[in-house]
Amino acid sequence: MAPQDSQFTVARVSTPSEWEMARAIRAEVFVQEQGVPPEEEWDELDDNARHWLLFTEDGLAVGTARAVEKTDEIWKIGRFAIRQAYRKKGAGTALLQQILRHGVSRGVSVFKLDSQVHAQGFYSRMGFEAVGPVFMDCSIPHRHMVLTLQS
């Protein structure tokens, strides 16, 4: 795990126990907190996606996300979840910045995601632009967002 700042560390999921940590965070945030049906939370994209965990200084896993490679240059970020007690404390920023750095190091120039409408401001501050109308996913309003990096 490479330190990102003094508060959080981000690491790629590489072991079964880390995958279970990521699943636990997603279950807490999406299934329990937001009411997403479990059968809609887990999908076939998990098998081939890159997954990350966000840890506190004392090693507590508090966030997770995945990126699905659409093409060599395009990734779709998803399942971005931060435990409630760590929101608005820099956790999401640390996690997203690491995913973007990792993608850029592999030649990715376009990052896409489907933001819950309430989180759209966060992604906008990170450089993403809203594209298209609001749509419903798991009974939650979402918006497509894109970040295109100049080469």
Side-chain angles (χ1 to χ4, degrees), residues 24-88:
I25 294 167
R26 285 171 53 181
E28 179 182 321
V29 172
F30 297 123
V31 178
Q32 295 167 11
E33 183 183 327
Q34 297 182 349
V36 172
E39 61 273 12
E40 293 190 39
E41 175 55 27
W42 315 111
D43 62 25
E44 69 283 351
L45 297 176
D46 280 326
D47 293 339
N48 295 313
R50 291 171 169 84
H51 298 269
W52 284 267
L53 279 168
L54 175 79
F55 296 92
T56 62
E57 288 178 303
D58 56 359
L60 179 64
V62 299
T64 189
R66 75 178 186 191
V68 175
E69 186 177 315
K70 297 298 192 179
T71 70
D72 288 345
E73 295 85 28
I74 301 172
W75 280 7
K76 184 170 184 186
I77 299 169
R79 303 309 200 261
F80 196 96
I82 304 294
R83 287 192 160 132
Q84 194 168 35
Y86 294 88
R87 294 179 198 152
K88 300 186 188 242

